[in-house]
Amino acid sequence: MRFYLPNVNVKHAELTGEAHTHAAYSLRIRVGDFVTVFDGTGTEYACKVKDIKKDRTELEILSETKNSGETKINLSLYLSVIKQDRFELAVQKVTELGVNNIIPVYSAHTQRGGSLNYERLNRIAISAAEQCGRSRLPNIERCIQFDELTARVKNTHMIFPWEREMHGSIREAIDKSKTDVSVFVGPEGGITENEKNILVDAGAKSVTLGARILRAETAAISAVSVICYEMGEWTL
């Protein structure tokens, strides 16, 4: 059992609020049980339940581990703003896959009336990290404009799926010597040809994800998965 516990007090660690309620009343943990807590910044702690009060679960920290469950690369997903439920699905799955940064983008075909519930997105990321064994939470930024995206290309190794790309694959585009890797995925309406040209001129690489046109959230999950494989994060 894993719980997110920011600002861990190593001398007096305890679960409170929703974490305590979930542990004590839903999972029915007992004194003497072993649990893991992580602070979201790369440190996790193996703990033993010391006492269970009405409003808190007191823990004894047994050991400390750094960067458990984390990738060796700094992987960022730039995802155009799409419907909240679809964006949530992308956040959940790319958190499990090891993405470090999630940045919503307003691009040409983004529905400008669209908005995101960041509090809910962060809760989803926490739940995904608890489930998958990560010790870090992805940083979910506020929306940026397309111009800001292109300005960031020079600081990272960026690829982007484009539905009209016929040849370039992720395997061909990825540079395995890089430690900072980014992927940009457009909205339901896709990336315009002008946006594609701007990104390529800035140094990003256009790739194909095959013969079928994928939904934005599917493209994001698929591209991140392939990058993880090509960068040696998976053993198959």
Side-chain angles (χ1 to χ4, degrees):
M1 292 175 283
R2 293 173 51 83
F3 301 93
Y4 170 56
L5 184 61
N7 305 314
V8 176
N9 182 341
V10 295
K11 295 182 179 179
H12 188 66
E14 60 183 23
L15 301 177
T16 58
E18 291 184 5
H20 162 69
T21 301
H22 182 58
Y25 300 105
S26 297
L27 299 178
R28 298 186 181 278
I29 64 172
R30 294 293 180 260
V31 173
D33 286 351
F34 295 94
V35 301
T36 300
V37 299
F38 66 101
D39 64 3
T41 65
T43 305
E44 72 172 33
Y45 304 86
C47 303
K48 184 177 182 179
V49 177
K50 186 168 58 176
D51 198 3
I52 301 175
K53 307 286 189 182
K54 183 178 180 180
D55 60 345
R56 66 189 183 277
T57 300
E58 297 181 354
L59 305 173
E60 175 189 357
I61 293 179
L62 304 176
S63 63
E64 175 183 320
T65 306
K66 297 289 187 180
N67 292 320
S68 176
E70 294 304 312
T71 63
K72 299 179 181 66
I73 57 175
N74 182 35
L75 184 54
S76 300
L77 170 65
Y78 291 85
L79 177 59
S80 288
V81 176
I82 54 179
K83 292 179 180 177
Q84 175 76 25
D85 60 339
R86 295 179 181 176
F87 205 99
E88 289 173 3
L89 176 63
V91 167
Q92 181 188 60
K93 299 311 177 186
V94 301
T95 297
E96 294 175 22
L97 290 167
V99 164
N100 302 101
N101 307 288
I102 301 170
I103 307 96
V105 179
Y106 282 123
S107 53
H109 287 163
T110 300
Q111 295 181 1
R112 292 295 168 169
S115 60
L116 298 173
N117 183 332
Y118 291 93
E119 182 179 349
R120 180 168 168 80
L121 292 177
N122 279 291
R123 289 201 305 268
I124 288 170
I126 289 170
S127 178
E130 288 177 335
Q131 177 272 322
C132 74
R134 290 191 64 176
S135 53
R136 290 183 181 272
L137 295 178
N139 173 41
I140 303 178
E141 293 188 26
R142 295 286 171 166
C143 292
I144 65 171
Q145 300 296 323
F146 184 80
D147 289 347
E148 174 62 21
L149 170 68
T150 58
R152 296 188 184 191
V153 171
K154 62 182 179 181
N155 297 321
T156 184
H157 175 45
M158 182 179 289
I159 65 171
F160 63 98
W162 190 48
E163 62 270 20
R164 283 186 274 172
E165 180 61 61
M166 300 300 294
H167 303 291
S169 68
I170 292 179
R171 173 168 290 176
E172 294 167 338
I174 205 76
D175 184 344
K176 296 183 180 179
S177 69
K178 302 295 185 182
T179 56
D180 288 297
V181 181
S182 298
V183 58
F184 168 56
V185 176
E188 287 94 338
I191 297 169
T192 68
E193 187 164 2
N194 182 56
E195 288 174 328
K196 178 257 186 184
N197 292 333
I198 291 172
L199 288 170
V200 170
D201 289 344
K205 295 183 178 181
S206 173
V207 299
T208 178
L209 293 181
R212 292 167 298 283
I213 296 176
L214 306 179
R215 290 183 182 272
E217 67 275 19
T218 309
I221 296 164
S222 301
V224 168
S225 299
V226 175
I227 290 171
C228 287
Y229 174 74
E230 291 297 332
M231 295 298 288
E233 293 294 332
W234 288 5
T235 301
L236 300 179

